[in-house]
Amino acid sequence: MTVDLDSEAKFAEYAHPERLVSTSWLEANLGKPGLVVVESNEDVLLYETGHIPGAVKIDWHTELNDPVERDFLDGEAFAKMAGAKGISRDSTVVFYGDKNNWWAAYALWVFTLFGHDDVRVLDGGRAKWQEEGRALTTDSVTPTPVDYPVVQRDDSSNRAYRDGVLAHFGKPLIDVRSPEEYTGERTEIPGYPTEGALRAGHIPSAASVPWARAAAPDATFKRRAELDSIYRGEAGLNEGDDVIAYCRIGERSSHTWFVLKYLLGFENVRNYDGSWTEWGSSVGVPIVTGAEPGDVPRR
Amino acid sequence: MADAALPQALSDIRDEFSELEIPDRLTLLLEFANELPELPERFRDHPDLFERVVECQSPVYIFVEVDDLGVVHLHATAPREAPTTRGFASILVQGLAGLSAQQVLDVPDDFPQTLGLTQAVSPLRIRGMSALLGRTKRQIQSRLSA
């Protein structure tokens, strides 16, 4: 760890308090050597309208994805991207963004695939920072480039592929999309019809726990006890479970992946980023429509 | 190069984007976002007139008027937190200003793809602008047939 942890009491309830910082902690630590603040938004221009002083921008579409293959950057491209942002291998990276930190969680998850150790989320994200009247600036940030080592991406522990989901049947799956997407009334999230699929419904046996269940109205994460009652209680997850979360393209499920892994302490959680845009259009995979999870397919 | 089907204002906007390096194209898009006009007073209390462009990831609403002279007026509103969407709307509001209904209907559907923003903004996001143009045309058609 390069920069001190946030000792806020709420965070101590979570399995991994070191993965969160509060807005007041961040304000007090801005400019500390070793700290890089990264803004990641759904809207590619939002950062330019005003960002936390010194924060750099990482856009998920244009900077984390390979331009040709539907996949993330490889080790070399990632090293180049991170180094150009002034991020070293031992940097403390704090992610924040719009939309309840969807893309912040997504970017943090991608950094995790490259084994970047000290990654944290700003609880409440951009909305809370702004709501509290903290400083935003349009000053352009020109980070001093640093060397980031070329590290091969390791998808094994935190990322699931389609075939991995097929092999996972019998173990818990969490569908974090809206109830209408889960039941199959619609193939896309309200307002996002460009990310549709050929069929509507859900992966057999998946439990429906929309991502927003984990978020409080001010975009912070809910308290530990509430999260336990949702995921361990209602969704029936048990200690030691091997869990896969999915949504439509993997951003909302990054949010849930973060909650399960770092707030609730499930060690084996994978995000299926192919998600419904792949599964709902894939040849030869089963789906279920309606409100019930459905049976585990016999294979 | 002159493009017969593309009205002057749209063609100027396209040239303005293409002359810039890719990162500067985003800056220009942000300028457009800041220039999106406020709704005229007479529409502010009439959200019912406006159609939501659901293809855009952020809430954006449009209303198209065709006046007695047959000139199209596109009105659009989108929140400050959605600058990309505001920029797309603003390009169309400025680029279509003063055109006749037929001229707007003749704008090539792939105009958004020709701005040189696909790489800067990503193809998925550009689809939001195509939807804005498509819905504008559809509203014009329904006004003309009414």
Side-chain angles (χ1 to χ4, degrees), chain B residues 3-14:
Chain B
D3 186 335
L6 197 61
Q8 192 62 42
L10 286 176
S11 139
D12 289 349
I13 290 171
R14 188 185 62 186

Side-chain angles (χ1 to χ4, degrees), chain B residues 15-30:
Chain B
D15 293 347
E16 223 183 319
F17 274 105
S18 351
E19 282 161 13
L20 297 171
E21 298 289 326
I22 287 178
D24 295 331
R25 292 178 193 176
L26 280 184
T27 313
L28 181 59
L29 185 60
L30 184 59

Side-chain angles (χ1 to χ4, degrees), chain A residues 79-297:
Chain A
K80 209 169 140 194
M81 185 277 300
K85 309 275 177 197
I87 299 170
S88 310
R89 189 67 173 163
D90 62 353
S91 294
T92 297
V93 186
V94 171
F95 296 89
Y96 76 99
D98 64 356
K99 299 265 174 179
N100 282 275
N101 278 326
W102 285 357
W103 305 102
Y106 185 85
L108 180 148
W109 172 70
V110 173
F111 270 64
T112 303
L113 300 180
F114 288 97
H116 193 98
D117 183 42
D118 191 0
V119 288
R120 313 182 193 179
V121 167
L122 174 66
D123 197 25
R126 187 182 161 95
K128 185 161 193 279
W129 181 275
Q130 202 165 9
E131 187 64 28
E132 292 168 348
R134 299 182 197 271
L136 290 175
T137 176
T138 53
D139 291 350
S140 69
V141 176
T142 40
T144 309
V146 294
D147 278 331
Y148 195 96
V150 174
V151 181
Q152 289 317 310
R153 204 181 67 226
D154 178 1
D155 295 333
S156 59
S157 338
N158 291 292
R159 185 182 189 193
Y161 288 92
R162 191 197 76 145
D163 291 352
V165 176
L166 287 168
H168 181 83
F169 278 134
K171 292 182 252 179
L173 278 156
I174 304 280
D175 184 317
V176 316
R177 298 172 302 157
S178 61
E180 296 77 16
E181 292 168 277
Y182 179 85
T183 57
E185 278 171 54
R186 56 197 316 163
T187 49
E188 79 285 330
I189 181 176
Y192 295 70
T194 52
E195 293 168 15
L198 285 178
R199 294 176 305 161
H202 57 265
I203 300 178
S205 77
S208 170
V209 188
W211 69 273
R213 300 281 316 274
D218 64 354
T220 57
F221 292 105
K222 282 184 182 160
R223 304 290 296 254
R224 173 70 188 258
E226 289 178 273
L227 294 176
D228 273 330
S229 82
I230 295 166
Y231 293 97
R232 291 180 208 267
E234 293 173 38
L237 296 183
N238 293 305
E239 208 57 52
D241 271 351
D242 182 353
V243 190
I244 292 178
Y246 72 94
C247 57
R248 201 174 25 99
I249 54 170
E251 90 292 21
R252 289 174 288 174
S253 47
S254 301
H255 188 273
T256 298
W257 168 85
F258 183 86
V259 169
L260 293 176
K261 188 172 178 91
Y262 292 131
L263 306 188
L264 296 182
F266 289 93
E267 295 301 323
N268 300 308
V269 190
R270 285 175 293 158
N271 181 19
Y272 170 40
D273 58 287
S275 275
W276 198 255
T277 53
E278 176 178 62
W279 194 274
S281 297
S282 195
V283 176
V285 301
I287 67 162
V288 170
T289 56
E292 294 303 319
D295 296 330
V296 171

